[in-house]
Amino acid sequence: MSDSIQLQQRISDLLGPQGCLVAADQRQPYEKGARYGDGRSLCIARPANVEEAAELMRLCASEKIRIVAQGANTGLVGASSPDRSGLDVVLSMERIKGVIDIDPVDRVVQAYAGTRLSDLNQALRQHELCFPIDLAADPSLGGMLAANTGGARLIRYGDVRHNVLGLEALLIDPPGQRLDLTNRLRKNNTGPDWKQNFIGSGGAYGIITQAVLQVHPLPQQCATALVVPASLQAAASLLRDAERNFSDFLSAFEGISHNAMQSVLQHIPAIQAPFEPLPPYAFLIELSSARPRSADFDLEKIFGAWLEACFGDLILDAVIDKPEVLWRMRHAITDSVRQEGKVIAFDIAVPRSRLGAFRDEAIALLEHRYPGVRVFDFGHWGDGGLHFNLVLPQRLADDFPPQRIDALRQEIYDLAVHKYRGSFSAEHGVGPFNQQFYERYTVAESQALAARMQTVFDPARLLGVTRFGPAP
Amino acid sequence: MSDSIQLQQRISDLLGPQGCLVAADQRQPYEKGARYGDGRSLCIARPANVEEAAELMRLCASEKIRIVAQGANTGLVGASSPDRSGLDVVLSMERIKGVIDIDPVDRVVQAYAGTRLSDLNQALRQHELCFPIDLAADPSLGGMLAANTGGARLIRYGDVRHNVLGLEALLIDPPGQRLDLTNRLRKNNTGPDWKQNFIGSGGAYGIITQAVLQVHPLPQQCATALVVPASLQAAASLLRDAERNFSDFLSAFEGISHNAMQSVLQHIPAIQAPFEPLPPYAFLIELSSARPRSADFDLEKIFGAWLEACFGDLILDAVIDKPEVLWRMRHAITDSVRQEGKVIAFDIAVPRSRLGAFRDEAIALLEHRYPGVRVFDFGHWGDGGLHFNLVLPQRLADDFPPQRIDALRQEIYDLAVHKYRGSFSAEHGVGPFNQQFYERYTVAESQALAARMQTVFDPARLLGVTRFGPAP
């Protein structure tokens, strides 16, 4: 019996046949990531509860088997995919799920890591509460914490980190040790906030098994408009004015480029053109409030009056429509653009006051150095986030071998990170896909710290496929 | 020449006579804390800039001298006071101060750690911005980050941690190494968020020299009321109803007990009784918005209508008055209570849904076990924070030797932490004052992690007077 088969058998003995998938066709959905990541695992371990997960970790630690934690496998950087060795165990959290408790007075929910965002929100809805991290995907909570997801309503609610009150994690050293940080306090200054080390670090320091989240009153009214700014230079003034007027209830300030709009209209005939002709850029601005609409507080009325006041100076045109209509266009962009050709996706952030300047300079760089590449950008303008997605037309495929695409990517990142003090990964995390950029752009002092942190949390490097510290 | 005099001389040579205070009368204001902490230092080092601070750290590391960082010396747990050995260097950040940059579009300010909160807010006011951490004291930014201060408006703006975008810190290993984490991004998922380790850890892992903060539009209108709840059991429903109605602009929900009100009225004759007779409890509720008052958005009108609707069921009485009038009473409590006798101060948090039950049980415990002790509690009800401050009447002084006060303190903490899953230090941090409670209440796994973290950041234990890991 080979070592691999023996190990598979031991894991199967531990977790039962349902808890250990060995057949290639059963493994495959767990081995391929949503955008990047495509490997081969020893097996897919699906523990039924936290104690089984801890047992699995003890077994893997004693055998020096690497563990790649996976939630809903919706991540975009390959951080939850095994490598090609066939030696990694994928630890799927999909069976460790469910809401443990909702306290509507505390506005707190405690749930297992495998719980999907949609299921969480369904449970919260009965209490007129929501976890307002708005994403195109339906991730698990553990993945959301590990990636520190952002989304379209960060301007109002912050990222995941801002809403985590507590968590439980399993450490790999000592193997399977449960670290109970599941408190529900909003104020608790009793030493270093250990949970922060598990948020946004992509599973490198432990495996998150439970989350305690601060949740928010469900909005009872909402006003949305698609707005054409006088110019992209005016966007900063528009944003500033919107925040002054609506800082309390501004819940989205999303940017959509002409090309992105056009792509949606072309590929999804059911969506009607909001403007004729399409403007160079538009913003989806949303106000929302948990306070129901009333004569003395009507967001649509307040919003309409503001838009009118901005006309001419800051705004050239605006369409006020139902949220579901306008968000439909926004959410359709990624899929539509994919039909235009080979996509080179970016997830950049710069300080939001410089987003327009960055975009101009990045487009000029492309025109000069990579003519023919088309820009279909959109993003979270209010937070400085830009999905500066490019499309390589089919006719240019031969001119763009992989090395040239890599060079293009690096030139855009150099511009964002070095000149604009921006980020090469605003929302998606590091993972194997961004590993080389982490090494290029992270200051040496932070990487040195990461190397030392590795010895605290995972000296044998058994957790995950991302490497924050230099190899030993 | 003794070792001490030689070291003082070397520090004076490094920082200049202004940068090194040796005379006892000059040292004294830095050696005594605002509430706890009273020691003797080798000298007070006052570097003029970050480079000098780094030089000082290199000197101290090579001589194995402990460094206690100090901002405005307003902390309440003795974390910035030297011990009694006369061997610690107090590193005062008071000369490393000033705003570096304000970007009103980004709503971001970058400032040196020694900058006072009041000075920061004065600089921000020109841009109609504010850093809305509301405290009785006027701390420095470095101290605010190190303590992760909360305050009275956390319910709206979060604590300091929620508003830090970046920081710069000096490490002690390698000595004086500058760790530049001063980015201004709202979205930046490029690995572990190192800055979190310096926030709330009381200077144990490095010395914060700069802060990059997200700031907020200055409120343009405000409505405040002092509200008498139907009962403390009804307080949870009142809070929930207030959040449903005003989640967007509820900026304070503070609790004040009968005794606290009475103490203020007795000691500050200029403040008039809001109610006759005084109720058992009252809440200071504040709404505020950056949107100016207008016919279609008037917080006083909205607030008044809500209060009226709550009458009878949730509310027995209410006084609507100017913010400055009502907050004056709130802010006068600590000083007034001090005039009642010996104060035993608490800084407790429990999940806010259980705050009323905790208070009832804590009072019953005192009546049973420590009769005669009077309760003057107040606090941040909306965040679960309670300053459960007690007064020991003079006539009972002999019955309460220090050991009995210690026992009382521990019984209250046991109740809060063990039964209510609360915190022994909601806002103030650990420091030497809370060291024994940190050791008693922190789970063993976290303390073990702290011991390992010590080896990452400060293996020689040269930073600060708080100990998160067990002694080696």
Side-chain angles (χ1 to χ4, degrees), chain A residues 139-418:
Chain A
S140 70
L141 297 185
M144 292 180 79
L145 267 66
N148 186 31
T149 47
R153 291 193 170 92
L154 187 141
I155 195 170
R156 166 71 176 273
Y157 299 103
D159 55 19
V160 164
R161 188 186 302 278
H162 280 83
N163 294 284
V164 176
L165 296 179
L167 56 79
E168 179 191 71
L170 296 176
L171 303 179
I172 194 70
D173 184 32
Q177 183 175 81
R178 200 189 282 226
L179 186 64
D180 181 359
L181 308 170
T182 58
N183 88 60
R184 302 176 163 212
L185 304 171
R186 285 172 169 75
K187 293 190 160 175
N188 183 32
N189 283 340
T190 51
D193 190 1
W194 301 116
K195 69 174 178 287
Q196 302 296 343
N197 286 295
F198 303 97
I199 303 172
S201 50
Y205 297 149
I207 291 175
I208 295 168
T209 49
Q210 283 188 40
V212 182
L213 305 170
Q214 172 178 258
V215 294
H216 297 264
L218 199 65
Q220 300 292 332
Q221 61 168 318
C222 196
T224 45
L226 204 59
V227 171
V228 179
S231 68
L232 264 190
Q233 286 66 47
S237 306
L238 187 66
L239 173 58
R240 194 175 171 190
D241 206 61
E243 286 201 336
R244 288 238 173 118
N245 272 276
F246 310 123
S247 69
D248 316 298
F249 25 85
L250 180 67
S251 51
F253 196 102
E254 299 280 295
I256 312 178
S257 66
H258 172 277
N259 287 0
M261 278 183 268
Q262 195 171 51
S263 179
V264 170
L265 296 177
Q266 191 174 331
H267 297 289
I268 305 182
I271 296 184
Q272 288 197 313
F275 308 104
E276 301 266 17
L278 289 174
Y281 225 86
F283 293 109
L284 199 176
I285 305 178
E286 178 187 85
L287 312 184
S288 60
S289 176
R291 182 175 172 76
R293 179 163 292 139
S294 63
D296 62 6
F297 186 59
D298 183 332
L299 286 181
E300 281 187 4
K301 222 173 85 187
I302 290 174
F303 200 22
W306 177 73
L307 288 170
E308 217 159 285
C310 291
F311 245 83
D313 203 17
L314 292 172
I315 289 177
L316 296 183
D317 204 351
V319 173
I320 300 180
D321 209 331
K322 291 193 189 116
E324 55 271 27
V325 173
L326 299 181
W327 280 101
R328 197 175 162 209
M329 163 171 273
R330 168 66 184 81
H331 285 316
I333 296 170
T334 308
D335 282 346
S336 301
V337 171
R338 208 174 285 144
Q339 297 180 55
E340 303 281 342
K342 182 179 167 55
V343 174
I344 307 171
F346 286 89
D347 170 34
I348 279 169
V350 301
R352 63 187 198 176
S353 57
R354 304 189 73 197
L355 198 47
F358 164 74
R359 182 179 182 269
D360 287 348
E361 196 164 343
I363 290 174
L365 182 156
L366 290 174
E367 282 171 357
H368 178 61
R369 304 257 305 140
Y370 302 95
V373 172
R374 299 182 63 206
V375 182
F376 290 80
D377 66 298
F378 61 99
H380 316 295
W381 201 276
D383 315 308
L386 194 65
H387 295 297
F388 188 70
N389 287 5
L390 311 179
V391 169
L392 199 59
Q394 186 53 41
R395 65 184 163 78
L396 292 181
D398 291 349
D399 298 342
F400 282 83
Q403 310 89 293
R404 193 166 178 220
I405 294 177
D406 289 350
L408 179 162
R409 192 176 280 285
Q410 187 164 306
E411 284 195 57
I412 295 293
Y413 285 152
D414 280 355
L415 182 69
V417 177
H418 291 150

Side-chain angles (χ1 to χ4, degrees), chain B residues 8 26 41 44 72 93 108 114 124 146 151 155 187 248 269 350 382 403:
Chain B
Q8 288 165 345
Q26 287 190 304
S41 67
I44 313 299
M93 298 297 286
V108 163
L124 289 169
I155 196 170
K187 293 189 161 176
D248 316 297
V350 301
Q403 310 90 293

Side-chain angles (χ1 to χ4, degrees), chain A residues 50-120:
Chain A
V50 176
E51 195 34 60
E52 281 192 9
E55 283 292 344
L56 176 78
M57 290 175 79
R58 285 189 274 272
L59 170 59
C60 290
S62 78
E63 298 296 329
K64 302 230 179 303
I65 300 171
R66 192 161 64 165
I67 301 167
V68 184
Q70 186 176 100
N73 199 15
T74 55
L76 296 176
V77 292
S80 63
S81 304
D83 68 16
R84 291 171 194 277
S85 67
L87 299 173
D88 302 350
V89 167
V90 172
L91 167 48
S92 168
M93 299 296 286
E94 63 187 345
R95 292 170 73 201
I96 307 179
K97 69 178 176 185
V99 170
I100 298 165
D101 180 45
I102 296 173
D103 186 325
V105 173
D106 272 347
R107 285 196 285 110
V108 164
V109 59
Q110 183 164 357
Y112 287 109
T115 313
R116 294 282 192 125
L117 176 60
S118 60
D119 292 330
L120 183 80

Side-chain angles (χ1 to χ4, degrees), chain B residues 102-375:
Chain B
I102 296 173
D103 186 324
V105 173
D106 273 346
R107 284 195 286 111
V108 163
V109 59
Q110 183 164 356
Y112 287 108
T115 312
R116 294 284 192 125
L117 177 60
S118 60
D119 292 332
L120 183 80
N121 272 323
Q122 202 179 336
L124 289 169
R125 189 174 291 270
Q126 303 165 37
H127 302 277
E128 297 189 27
L129 295 169
C130 67
F131 187 53
I133 307 294
D134 182 80
L135 301 166
D138 186 19
S140 69
L141 297 186
M144 291 180 80
L145 267 66
N148 185 32
T149 47
R153 291 193 171 91
L154 186 140
I155 196 170
R156 166 70 175 275
Y157 299 103
D159 55 18
V160 164
R161 188 186 302 279
H162 281 84
N163 294 285
V164 176
L165 297 179
L167 57 77
E168 180 191 70
L170 296 176
L171 303 178
I172 194 69
D173 182 32
Q177 184 176 79
R178 201 189 282 226
L179 185 64
D180 181 1
L181 307 170
T182 59
N183 89 61
R184 301 175 164 214
L185 304 171
R186 284 172 170 73
K187 293 189 161 176
N188 182 32
N189 282 340
T190 52
D193 190 0
W194 301 117
K195 68 175 177 286
Q196 303 296 342
N197 285 296
F198 302 98
I199 302 173
S201 50
Y205 296 150
I207 290 175
I208 295 168
T209 49
Q210 281 188 40
V212 182
L213 305 169
Q214 172 179 258
V215 293
H216 296 265
L218 200 63
Q220 299 292 332
Q221 60 169 316
C222 196
T224 45
L226 205 59
V227 171
V228 180
S231 68
L232 263 191
Q233 286 67 45
S237 305
L238 187 67
L239 173 59
R240 196 175 168 189
D241 206 62
E243 286 201 336
R244 288 239 173 117
N245 273 276
F246 310 123
S247 70
D248 316 297
F249 26 84
L250 180 66
S251 50
F253 196 102
E254 298 280 296
I256 311 177
S257 66
H258 171 279
N259 287 0
M261 278 183 270
Q262 194 172 52
S263 179
V264 170
L265 296 178
Q266 190 175 333
H267 297 289
I268 305 181
I271 295 185
Q272 288 198 313
F275 308 104
E276 302 266 15
L278 289 175
Y281 225 85
F283 292 109
L284 199 176
I285 305 179
E286 178 188 86
L287 311 184
S288 60
S289 175
R291 181 174 174 78
R293 178 164 292 141
S294 64
D296 62 5
F297 186 60
D298 183 332
L299 286 181
E300 281 187 3
K301 223 173 84 186
I302 289 174
F303 200 23
W306 177 74
L307 288 170
E308 216 158 286
C310 291
F311 246 83
D313 204 17
L314 293 172
I315 288 178
L316 297 183
D317 203 352
V319 173
I320 300 180
D321 207 331
K322 292 194 189 117
E324 55 271 27
V325 173
L326 299 180
W327 279 102
R328 195 173 164 210
M329 164 171 273
R330 167 66 184 81
H331 285 315
I333 297 171
T334 308
D335 283 345
S336 302
V337 172
R338 207 174 287 143
Q339 298 179 54
E340 303 281 342
K342 181 178 166 58
V343 174
I344 307 171
F346 285 90
D347 170 35
I348 279 170
V350 301
R352 62 186 198 176
S353 58
R354 305 189 74 196
L355 198 46
F358 164 74
R359 181 178 182 271
D360 286 348
E361 197 166 342
I363 289 174
L365 183 156
L366 290 175
E367 283 171 357
H368 178 61
R369 306 256 304 139
Y370 303 94
V373 172
R374 298 182 63 207
V375 182

Side-chain angles (χ1 to χ4, degrees), chain B residues 30-38 66-71 73-83 88-91 143 146-147 200-204 428-435 463-468:
Chain B
Y30 301 83
E31 291 175 339
K32 197 170 162 51
R35 183 178 285 171
Y36 304 106
D38 187 3
R66 191 160 67 166
I67 301 167
V68 184
Q70 186 176 102
N73 198 15
T74 56
L76 295 177
V77 291
S80 64
S81 304
D83 68 15
D88 302 349
V89 167
V90 172
L91 167 49
S201 50
H428 297 168
V430 178
F433 174 68
N434 280 322
Q435 181 76 48
L463 291 183
V465 284
T466 315
R467 290 289 163 255
F468 297 118

